[in-house]
Amino acid sequence: MPSDTKRRPILRTLGLVAALVGGSAQAQDPYARERAALLKEIEAMARDTGAETGRVIFSARVMGAMAKVPRHRFVPALYGQLAYANRPLPIGHGQTISQPYIVALMTELLDTKAGDAVLEIGTGSGYQAAILAELVHQVYSIEIIEPVGKNAAALLQQLGYKNIETRIGDGYNGWPEHAPFDAIIVTAAAARVPPALVAQLKPGGRMVIPVGGENEVQFLQVMVKQADGSISTQRSLPVRFVPLTRSN
Ligand code: SAH
């Protein structure tokens, strides 16, 4: 058909444009393929651990944030090659950036909504804060080691996150000036759940926290504050986090 011969060059041009666009996206984001592979691995782990976590499939919101945040910017240059490996990595000062699957799981268990205000204890690299900032209205994050917190704050600013407020301090007492929160995430292990954090949860609010002393097995715990103020607690997976330290 005559129209066919006319269309073919157009199709060829479109194909070329698509290849160019794809090519430049790859050039701008050389980690795109590794990040996509990591997402598949997280999905597979979610299925494998679903019986214990209650979440066989992570929400599209959470996986969308995991797909968007450039984890390679949050790991030391030395570990750039491993940025999208599904494992925790050292970030200096004896601290670690959590395993991506654990970040996804904890975010999933928080059940955040777009309008939420979320408190994080343990800013670390800032990666978890960035994931949350993609999903909620406002993130507050506290880090006890000054250079670690300052480094994360500078990076988050560089990446353009305007809805994350950071502070250096002991997160054990929460952040009363901004309380109450829709959700609280603690990314260091506490021997006991800090009472101030429970107090700073809104009714209906959720807290995800690894609980366990130095020589105990830690378990991820999901706590929900009911409308009447009572707390329901569910135990999730065994985990390994650095300890929640105290400033005195
Ligand atoms: N969420 C981080 C990983 C955190 S590692 C990330 O996405 O990279 C745990 C962090 O908690 C460490 O940086 C540690 O210094 C910090 N931390 C430990 N005890 C704390 C406390 N009492 N208050 C605030 N931060 C604390």
Side-chain angles (χ1 to χ4, degrees), residues 35-169:
R35 197 179 304 120
L38 173 62
L39 295 189
K40 290 259 173 271
E41 206 176 318
I42 291 171
E43 281 166 359
M45 270 189 94
R47 281 194 295 276
D48 288 349
T49 52
E52 291 136 289
T53 64
R55 306 289 170 107
V56 181
I57 295 172
F58 292 171
S59 68
R61 290 183 84 231
V62 170
M63 293 308 285
M66 296 296 295
K68 193 165 172 201
V69 177
R71 191 171 189 258
H72 60 276
R73 299 292 301 274
F74 293 86
V75 307
L78 178 65
Y79 297 108
Q81 303 268 39
L82 293 171
Y84 294 96
N86 191 20
R87 51 175 278 191
L89 292 169
I91 57 169
H93 301 272
Q95 306 306 319
T96 54
I97 175 172
S98 305
Q99 178 189 12
Y101 158 74
I102 291 291
V103 172
L105 172 65
M106 290 176 81
T107 310
E108 177 70 29
L109 292 171
L110 281 179
D111 281 341
T112 60
K113 292 179 293 302
D116 284 356
V118 180
L119 174 67
E120 177 191 33
I121 309 300
T123 314
S125 68
Y127 179 69
Q128 173 75 72
I131 293 285
L132 288 167
E134 297 286 346
L135 298 171
V136 303
H137 178 65
Q138 182 67 39
V139 179
Y140 300 96
S141 186
I142 308 177
E143 169 58 51
I144 201 165
I145 302 177
E146 186 165 357
V148 171
K150 282 197 163 155
N151 191 49
L155 175 60
L156 291 167
Q157 192 182 18
Q158 213 182 87
L159 292 174
Y161 286 102
K162 301 205 187 326
N163 59 340
I164 305 174
E165 193 177 329
T166 58
R167 172 164 91 73
I168 307 299

Side-chain angles (χ1 to χ4, degrees), residues 159-231:
L159 292 174
Y161 286 102
K162 301 205 187 326
N163 59 340
I164 305 174
E165 193 177 329
T166 58
R167 172 164 91 73
I168 307 299
D170 184 349
Y172 190 87
N173 298 315
W175 198 332
E177 294 81 358
H178 293 299
F181 303 97
D182 298 285
I184 299 178
I185 181 169
V186 183
T187 62
R192 304 278 171 272
V193 177
L197 299 185
V198 178
Q200 288 172 26
L201 265 187
K202 281 185 194 170
R206 300 168 73 84
M207 170 150 67
V208 176
I209 176 171
V211 180
E214 299 264 353
N215 300 311
E216 293 171 349
V217 177
Q218 305 165 3
F219 282 91
L220 216 50
Q221 226 168 261
V222 183
M223 308 175 76
V224 182
K225 187 182 266 188
Q226 309 296 335
D228 66 1
S230 66
I231 304 291

